[in-house]
Amino acid sequence: MADNVDDDSLYRIKEGDYVVLKRGDIFKAVQIQQKKKVAFEKQWFFLDNVVGQLYSTTFEIVSGGILQPRKPKDTESSTDAKGAGTDNRNIVDDGKSQKLTRDDIETLKEQGLKGQEIIQQLIENSSTFKNKTEYAQDKYIKKKKKKYENTVMILKPSCRILAMMYHGREPGKICHLRYDTLAQMLTLANIHAGSKVLVFETCAGLVLGSVMERMGGYGSVIQMYPGGGPVRAGVESFGFPSHFHDMLHEFPICHVNALLAGTLDTTAKDPSADSKQSNMAAKEEQNQPEAERQGSPEEQSMETNSGADGSHDPKKEEEEKRREAKAEERKVKQEEKRKKLAAAAALLESRNADGLVIASRFNPCPVLMGLLKFLSPSRPFVVYSQYKESLIECYTKLKEHGGTVNLKLTDTWLRHYQVLPNRTHPVLLMSGGGGYLLSGTTVAADHSKPSSSRQDGEPAEKRQKVTDTEG
Amino acid sequence: MADNVDDDSLYRIKEGDYVVLKRGDIFKAVQIQQKKKVAFEKQWFFLDNVVGQLYSTTFEIVSGGILQPRKPKDTESSTDAKGAGTDNRNIVDDGKSQKLTRDDIETLKEQGLKGQEIIQQLIENSSTFKNKTEYAQDKYIKKKKKKYENTVMILKPSCRILAMMYHGREPGKICHLRYDTLAQMLTLANIHAGSKVLVFETCAGLVLGSVMERMGGYGSVIQMYPGGGPVRAGVESFGFPSHFHDMLHEFPICHVNALLAGTLDTTAKDPSADSKQSNMAAKEEQNQPEAERQGSPEEQSMETNSGADGSHDPKKEEEEKRREAKAEERKVKQEEKRKKLAAAAALLESRNADGLVIASRFNPCPVLMGLLKFLSPSRPFVVYSQYKESLIECYTKLKEHGGTVNLKLTDTWLRHYQVLPNRTHPVLLMSGGGGYLLSGTTVAADHSKPSSSRQDGEPAEKRQKVTDTEG
Amino acid sequence: MSFVEYSDFIQDGDVATVYMGHESMIAVKVQQGAQTQTRYGVLRHSTDLIGQRYGSKVTCSKGRWVYVLHPTPELWTVTLPHRTQILYTTDIATITMMLELKPGSFVCESGTGSGSLAHAILRTIAPTGHLHTVEFHQQRAEKVAEEFKEHRVDHLVTVRNQDVCKDGFGVTGVADAVFLDIPSPWEAVRHAKAAMKKQGGRVCSFSPCIEQVQKTCEALSDQGFEELSTIEVLLRVHDVRTVYLSLPDFGPDSPAQAQPDAAVKTPPSHAPIALKTTTLPRDIPGHTGYLTFATKPRT
Amino acid sequence: MSFVEYSDFIQDGDVATVYMGHESMIAVKVQQGAQTQTRYGVLRHSTDLIGQRYGSKVTCSKGRWVYVLHPTPELWTVTLPHRTQILYTTDIATITMMLELKPGSFVCESGTGSGSLAHAILRTIAPTGHLHTVEFHQQRAEKVAEEFKEHRVDHLVTVRNQDVCKDGFGVTGVADAVFLDIPSPWEAVRHAKAAMKKQGGRVCSFSPCIEQVQKTCEALSDQGFEELSTIEVLLRVHDVRTVYLSLPDFGPDSPAQAQPDAAVKTPPSHAPIALKTTTLPRDIPGHTGYLTFATKPRT
């Protein structure tokens, strides 16, 4: 009890922290920076005041974008308890919808009413509200909240929160990977401290970060990345302590074949590879689906840009000098890169990784077949795809190829509930699809006696029941 | 009130009626025949006694397979109220499971305990029962019910009951078409009295019968059938009044092209077509999935064989005579067939059918494209398939081809609930898949001006949003 | 045109469905001389609609075209004016089958609401059945009666403006099936029973909340209903689309290819593969209501 | 071997998973000299298991072979001896993420049951976290403690045999997360709160029935928990298969072909097409339980 003060220091917001802003179901990851305007749900504010405050505090946005801690009692919203659907048959639709005028609302604001109270007023003065479907009511409230609510909670980031944030705000950036599906992946791949895990993802770093969180800084994670460089914005949002980054390695997949063939030279720098990589970086950019490249500036700002390459130089006279410095810098960087590559290659060469996680916009089958070679026998792997068809291909290929057992093609179905007295029911909207997973376990390649008729490397019995006659 | 007696006559079971036996969730369709042993849920009995009784009566099976109406109070089962899961943590697993011996059970039987009471005794004397998952408990009760329950309810058949029966007992025979999916089909195809509907199905006649039920004897139904003859066993199980059959027509799809080309000759008989048809009948048989040809004799007996062809003649001496008689009979039949064909052809020729329903084990795309030609513009059609992939093909083809709007590829998700005081939850097992539907509406072929760039015959706007960039 | 009988050509007084695109349709009352403003421009009824074949493509004033479709209860459900929450086709289809509706069925319903279900019932029970529908909101009862007339199904339906929980359905011993979509269905169960034929029939109650279901099941059991069964049916609409998946470049396959001269500036030639697939919308209906069915035994 | 650390080779004392086929696995305690009867024949531990690499194919006495896999919490869940109803991987994965478990987390759980969830928790919180698990059934508590020892995770867990509703978790102010799977979770909510760190944390309650959920939500609200969220996660396992679809024969296409001589005895040459697809099993899990999550705020 005496060390409460010490305890709390871990729970205080510091400058430079990666935090998550929350209002209702809406999340946004930002870094705490002094004097930096932050946009959230159509409002602007500064985070200067939150430094030193405790995590999970709710702040009120007051004039000038200043954040003030809200009084404890004033907890979040009770607009949920609205009683839709069940007793709305008595309302006469008199054609007049909202009885409050804009002036009325301004008056309420001047009287110091909180956003939530104003919304309550709006609901009570709306004759059509009760006539709306519950779904429409939710929509109405959300819209009004966006307009009038002015609180924000500041949270410590976690896999749970970031997975929900990405799914809610920018599903395209994470290949529409739903949080419950990500949860399955982490468990099916037996991610835990002390193991050596391969990750191939184009989910903004969310999957990588989630794997790292589950490993708690123990063991090693090798990010197998396509194109010019590893994408890590999502990893930064986790705000891991710096030692977590010691376990993180990266390896460009364009060297996979060379590594497997034993022809990868990591002792000297390879300029061709570098130029090739930047080529691909450009290409990478182009391959980004349009929807992802669009998006409002606000949404884009959610992600901190990783990598510091490609800077502009406006001043012509200093060009020469800077070019030299840059060349030097590049050399140092390349040396660093080489070392990193060598370290990652060393980890991979032994082909004894403990797990493989794939979640990308690439066709998963060749990715899987290529990376599976790095696993020890008796280790789990899991592949995510938004499309069942591409996992059918993986499944078929693995059955042909052998070397895996326990293959399962699954998806999960997620339902949220409203639990309120006399108004309990599933939430009226649900997520359409959470994506599909193919999971399995590697086994030792069969060098003993090639099994005569069967190639799938799995004992018969059960399988024979599900032949293709039915239907 | 005075005509109650008259009313009831419609509700009394008559000899020759097609009825449905029911016990719990188990249904079986049979015809009432004197002195005919009926097998149901591992028990044998005679239906002689039920003639003259009211529909929906529950009967007790007493010795010798005699059915006796059960006393009214003695309603079905309360073994549902068993209280699983929630309070089973206190049970010590002492290794002894069922405390009742076989002798005990026989004694109970001799004491005249009803099946249901015996089951209750078994449950109460089972120490492991409460430790089982609720799912295992259900399984246990079902197994015991099968063994000890001895009542059967006799129902008037209906689309609802037969659809549930087939789905529960022989899903392979109806292409795994779930009852709720069938319900969607009937509604999406706007099946109603007075219209002209085309049906192509290999669902034992269930879909055809359901369409006929919804048309109530008004209008016309043309069964488009593949192979040697229309399959109608399921239709018979509906027990329709005879005038319903006047609206039912049949047309072999092997004449579709000839009909469309205007070369189908329905005035004279065509021997080649007949031999071809019986050829195909044989082939048809072979094509039946193995699982469907197997099945217990009991299950097979559920379906009355349609068609009377292919009889054996054991007595050699009468061969000649019978052959002549048979030839004559065949002539008469062929003439009937010709007339039927002509009638169906006449209905089809005008190409103004009001609806099209397809549910078969055939690849749906060519079936759909072939039969859609017979519809008027602005008429609904619906195609069922167990496999989404084959409906994607239909969808793509229709978009290319034009002539339809309002295309929707859907499936439904069906959940049953246990609603009991303090034990309300979804049923622990649910049906995996109910199959997929593609529905749409025909429109007039566009003869005016060929639209330049677009072929899909659907206004733009919304469609352009869902292009293929995302993901 | 009627909602229970197809016609081939559009006539004055019909209610036609103007199809502008998926999920974008309107119902239009066809009147000689009238015109309708759509977002594709003006439709002139006399020239653009009357006398045209249902299913025809019609060009609006802005040069964009639409299809004019024959009304069906299902098209009506997506175009009707909402005066209340309505039932949609997925639930309606299930209700229709599970209540065993067919031509000749006598049905009681409450509340009528916006008439979405009622139209589907009428389609199914025509030409010899009858629907008794009870709506306690007067304005709504009048409005829906008017629509039944316009849709030429008024001979099949009786609309009553009363409180079903207090006054019942206004008929006794006639119904093969009863449908309840009211806030307190348990209060109407005894009226449902009274409305039904003594030989028995089917009943259905639609409720969004599980507490309503619990109370209704209790009332149904108390009133001697049998075969209680509560279900939920959800629709999923799959979007058919082609997606493109990139192929990974694992680098040159053999050591020979790995020679610098071979690798330099050769961009990876792995073109994305096309995949025909379906996706679900981001949000889909997660719940409409629970459907509780039961059988009234002979009484 | 341990449940929190991989090894490459099977050693005496390990618990190995013998994989005989999909859904057909057993857990085997490896002991020098022992043998295990499988349906594929006898496995002799000394020769067939000890010293073999995990993932190896091993031939049993009947000549059929099996794979010997390294244990994981997920394999344990499908092979463990059921002493109670257990939680399965789909729910466990969701619980693990939603409770924000990770290395170093301090967790309280009740009841321990058959230990299915506990193993998954231990895997995730190792090497620096701790699990306090409470089971009021003495026999079960002892058995599971024994298993933890065999699985070499006993240093990460404290098993208590007491009634959580009466006596709580036996610790105060230490837990980052609490999990409840008991018949009356609402009675343990205050104990959950007491067990948790003053800075806050996450709680989860698993209940099969909605009434339990309603009472638990009420208790959580009353005790000041926030962010209440009740969800349900269902797994669907898709069977990959090839199906064959017949093609319809609409007869000869052109009048020329329709000549008798062309049609006679020409069997339809429409070979079925093959389709790679998936199907769902006829019956799938329809419900396991509701998962209610909440956040304990700073107190």
Side-chain angles (χ1 to χ4, degrees), chain A residues 85-86 88-89 91 167-168 253-254 257 361-363 366 387 389 415 422-426 428-432, chain C residues 85 136-137 181 183 208-211 232 243 245-246 249-253 273 277 280-284 286-287 290:
Chain A
T86 56
N88 61 3
R89 314 278 156 150
I91 312 300
H167 186 259
I253 59 162
C254 62
N257 281 339
R361 62 185 158 71
F362 283 78
N363 193 34
Y387 313 108
E389 290 82 355
R415 207 172 200 193
N422 284 319
R423 294 194 301 289
T424 301
H425 60 70
L428 302 183
L429 280 183
M430 66 187 282
S431 156
Chain C
Q85 300 170 39
F136 79 28
H137 190 291
D181 176 10
C209 302
I210 196 71
E211 292 87 354
E232 216 191 337
V243 297
L245 299 174
S246 318
D249 173 20
F250 286 135
D253 224 0
I273 62 153
T277 185
L280 287 165
R282 190 163 157 188
D283 289 323
I284 62 171
H287 181 64
Y290 300 98

Side-chain angles (χ1 to χ4, degrees), chain B residues 6 18 51 58 124 217 269 274 283 315 330 382 389 396 405 422 449 464 468:
Chain B
D6 280 319
Y18 289 88
V51 173
T58 298
E124 280 164 21
K269 84 178 186 70
D274 271 297
K283 205 171 149 30
K315 289 144 208 154
R330 190 181 285 156
V382 58
E389 290 82 355
T396 308
V405 295
N422 283 319
K449 24 183 172 174
Q464 292 184 337
D468 305 326

Side-chain angles (χ1 to χ4, degrees), chain B residues 258-454:
Chain B
L259 181 72
L260 288 169
T263 56
L264 181 68
D265 181 8
T266 56
T267 54
K269 84 178 186 70
D270 172 4
S272 79
D274 271 297
S275 72
K276 196 174 159 197
Q277 276 176 32
S278 43
N279 256 351
M280 283 192 293
K283 205 171 149 30
E284 183 72 358
E285 197 68 42
Q286 285 165 15
N287 280 343
Q288 290 277 345
E290 204 177 356
E292 300 184 18
R293 269 187 288 136
Q294 295 171 350
S296 67
E298 179 197 344
E299 276 173 335
Q300 296 234 334
S301 72
M302 195 180 85
E303 281 206 17
T304 319
N305 257 319
S306 69
D309 35 36
S311 59
H312 299 264
D313 190 354
K315 289 144 208 154
K316 280 265 175 183
E317 61 260 40
E318 292 189 348
E319 184 110 334
E320 188 73 2
K321 220 173 165 181
R322 296 191 64 153
R323 199 178 283 163
E324 270 173 39
K326 230 173 149 184
E328 185 55 33
E329 198 185 306
R330 190 181 285 156
K331 244 186 207 163
V332 174
K333 264 195 182 164
Q334 278 180 354
E335 178 57 18
E336 263 174 37
K337 219 169 189 171
R338 193 196 58 73
K339 274 187 190 160
K340 272 187 177 174
L341 184 69
L347 282 167
L348 290 170
E349 258 160 6
S350 45
R351 300 206 195 182
N352 63 351
D354 295 317
L356 169 63
V357 175
I358 296 171
S360 79
R361 63 186 157 70
F362 284 79
N363 194 34
C365 186
V367 177
L368 175 64
M369 298 314 289
L371 301 185
L372 215 45
K373 296 164 186 159
F374 294 104
L375 292 201
S376 275
S378 196
R379 295 296 186 270
F381 60 91
V382 58
V383 190
Y384 165 82
S385 174
Q386 204 187 335
Y387 312 109
K388 194 177 62 179
E389 290 82 355
S390 51
L391 295 184
I392 293 179
E393 191 194 345
C394 291
Y395 182 95
T396 308
K397 190 83 179 184
L398 286 176
K399 282 288 188 188
E400 276 170 30
H401 185 267
T404 58
V405 295
N406 217 3
L407 295 183
K408 266 191 187 168
L409 204 175
T410 60
D411 71 339
T412 49
W413 174 93
L414 176 69
R415 205 171 201 195
H416 287 264
Y417 282 82
Q418 167 179 303
V419 182
L420 290 172
N422 283 319
R423 294 194 302 290
T424 300
H425 60 69
V427 168
L428 301 183
L429 281 183
M430 68 186 283
S431 157
Y436 296 86
L437 294 179
L438 180 71
S439 61
T441 307
T442 56
V443 289
D446 187 12
H447 298 300
S448 52
K449 24 183 172 174
S451 61
S452 51
S453 63
R454 313 181 54 255

Side-chain angles (χ1 to χ4, degrees), chain B residues 134-297:
Chain B
E134 197 169 348
Y135 163 60
Q137 290 184 355
D138 280 344
K139 226 170 125 182
Y140 178 91
I141 289 173
K142 269 191 188 140
K143 212 173 114 196
K144 296 298 173 193
K145 266 195 177 169
K146 218 165 186 162
K147 204 162 167 188
Y148 297 107
E149 273 217 339
N150 54 353
T151 62
V152 58
M153 193 187 237
I154 297 193
L155 299 174
K156 234 182 157 64
S158 71
C159 165
R160 169 179 77 96
I161 288 165
L162 294 174
M164 291 175 73
M165 173 186 84
Y166 272 108
H167 186 259
R169 289 171 76 86
E170 301 185 294
K173 273 206 176 143
I174 55 165
C175 304
H176 294 258
L177 171 65
R178 204 172 54 202
Y179 39 94
D180 59 314
T181 308
L182 176 58
Q184 302 303 318
M185 293 177 76
L186 297 169
T187 291
L188 290 171
N190 192 20
I191 303 299
H192 64 279
S195 47
K196 184 201 283 189
V197 179
L198 264 58
V199 176
F200 179 87
E201 65 131 285
T202 60
C203 295
L206 172 68
V207 174
L208 181 63
S210 303
V211 168
M212 289 171 69
E213 183 183 285
R214 285 288 176 92
M215 295 181 61
Y218 305 93
S220 35
V221 182
I222 305 141
Q223 181 179 15
M224 309 298 287
Y225 66 90
V231 176
R232 300 249 174 101
V235 176
E236 279 176 21
S237 296
F238 278 82
F240 291 129
S242 58
H243 74 270
F244 269 54
H245 292 276
D246 300 345
M247 70 170 169
L248 177 56
H249 301 81
E250 61 202 42
F251 190 85
I253 59 161
C254 63
H255 290 325
V256 159
N257 280 341
L259 181 72
L260 288 169
T263 56
L264 181 68
D265 181 8
T266 56
T267 54
K269 84 178 186 70
D270 172 4
S272 79
D274 271 297
S275 72
K276 196 174 159 197
Q277 276 176 32
S278 43
N279 256 351
M280 283 192 293
K283 205 171 149 30
E284 183 72 358
E285 197 68 42
Q286 285 165 15
N287 280 343
Q288 290 277 345
E290 204 177 356
E292 300 184 18
R293 269 187 288 136
Q294 295 171 350
S296 67

Side-chain angles (χ1 to χ4, degrees), chain C residues 2 6 42 60 84-85 94 150 162 174-175 197 199 203 217 219 225 233 257:
Chain C
S2 120
Y6 282 118
V42 168
C60 297
T84 56
Q85 300 170 39
T94 310
E150 284 168 11
Q162 61 194 41
V174 301
K197 286 188 178 149
Q199 290 88 358
V203 68
C217 283
F225 284 81
V233 189
Q257 284 180 266

